[in-house]
Amino acid sequence: MSMAIFRDREDGGAALAEALAKYKGADVVVYGLPRGGVVTAKVVATALQAPLDLIITRKLHHPLQPEYGVGAIAEDGQVVLNEREVAALPADWLEREEQEQLREAKRRRAAYLGGRAPLPVRGKVAILVDDGIATGYTMKAAVLALRRLGPAKIVVAAPVAPSTVAARFAGFADELVVPHTPDDFYAIGQFYAEFDQVEDDDVVALMQKRSEAA
């Protein structure tokens, strides 16, 4: 198993901000994927002098192995599936799971942003940030949701992801920025010395602080 590369999510954000330095001062909107990705995204947004918003996605959980994801859904209903996995699952279960996770995504938007309208991104560069990419389902769902908002370019960015990540995002993102792409990738947390759970209240506080700073 690989040793930790980053101290914590903020340290990962600092490394990512350096890799994205060409966008500093550009017409950019940075998006964090709650919850953990918002910590990383705030560091990036601050460094790039860009506004921060959210794209909320939810993992679709296998009915027998809740920690195992078979896809993801974005808050606007965009779905990405592992077709091989879901082919063996009941269709009615999948529909219920999608609706349950869609309700949770909408709950989180209301909780995190309190009814604030999404930032305008049409014609701008959208940078989607998470603290790491594993299967890529949630990030892909976020890209599909963001496409509907009309950005000129979508950049998918994370401090760490598997070495296979570029192939996974071919045809999805316009640009992929991942400073570290190890071969022996088991879980995002293995690359962080500190990888504590991020709670709803943490996301609310981060968004409020960034909004005040902006």
Side-chain angles (χ1 to χ4, degrees):
M1 182 175 290
S2 299
M3 298 293 290
I5 298 171
F6 306 109
R7 183 178 63 255
D8 52 23
R9 289 181 176 89
E10 290 187 343
D11 187 37
L16 197 53
E18 184 176 346
L20 291 162
K22 66 182 180 181
Y23 291 108
K24 184 175 181 178
D27 201 5
V28 166
V29 178
V30 175
Y31 291 86
L33 272 65
R35 298 183 180 110
V38 182
V39 180
T40 306
K42 179 180 177 292
V43 176
V44 173
T46 300
L48 300 185
Q49 301 174 354
L52 176 64
D53 207 345
L54 304 177
I55 293 287
I56 301 174
T57 57
R58 294 288 298 161
K59 184 193 298 184
L60 300 175
H61 305 90
H62 193 285
L64 302 180
Q65 297 174 280
E67 292 304 311
Y68 181 69
V70 297
I73 188 168
E75 59 189 289
D76 70 343
Q78 291 286 316
V79 176
V80 174
L81 298 173
N82 181 327
E83 298 292 350
R84 185 181 63 182
E85 292 283 354
V86 299
L89 298 173
D92 59 341
W93 168 85
L94 181 60
E95 183 176 351
R96 289 196 303 272
E97 175 68 2
E98 288 179 359
Q99 291 305 310
E100 179 180 344
Q101 297 308 328
L102 185 58
R103 285 192 296 270
E104 174 61 14
K106 291 180 177 179
R107 182 201 70 80
R108 291 190 178 200
R109 171 160 289 278
Y112 298 156
L113 296 172
R116 193 196 81 184
L119 296 175
V121 72
R122 185 169 297 278
K124 302 180 181 182
V125 175
I127 302 179
L128 271 171
V129 177
D130 206 351
D131 51 20
I133 300 172
T135 63
Y137 295 134
T138 54
M139 184 65 85
K140 284 183 175 181
V143 170
L144 292 177
L146 193 51
R147 286 280 181 209
R148 290 182 165 183
L149 303 180
K153 181 178 184 178
I154 296 179
V155 181
V156 165
V160 63
S163 57
T164 55
V165 72
R168 296 183 191 184
F169 280 86
F172 270 84
D174 300 306
E175 183 180 352
L176 183 68
V177 177
V178 182
H180 296 280
T181 54
D183 293 325
D184 54 339
F185 189 106
Y186 303 100
I188 295 168
Q190 80 186 89
F191 302 101
Y192 289 86
E194 298 176 17
F195 200 66
D196 296 337
Q197 179 74 23
V198 178
E199 304 296 343
D200 282 355
D201 289 346
D202 299 322
V203 177
V204 172
L206 283 167
M207 294 305 294
Q208 287 177 343
K209 288 179 182 178
R210 182 58 194 158
S211 179
E212 290 166 2

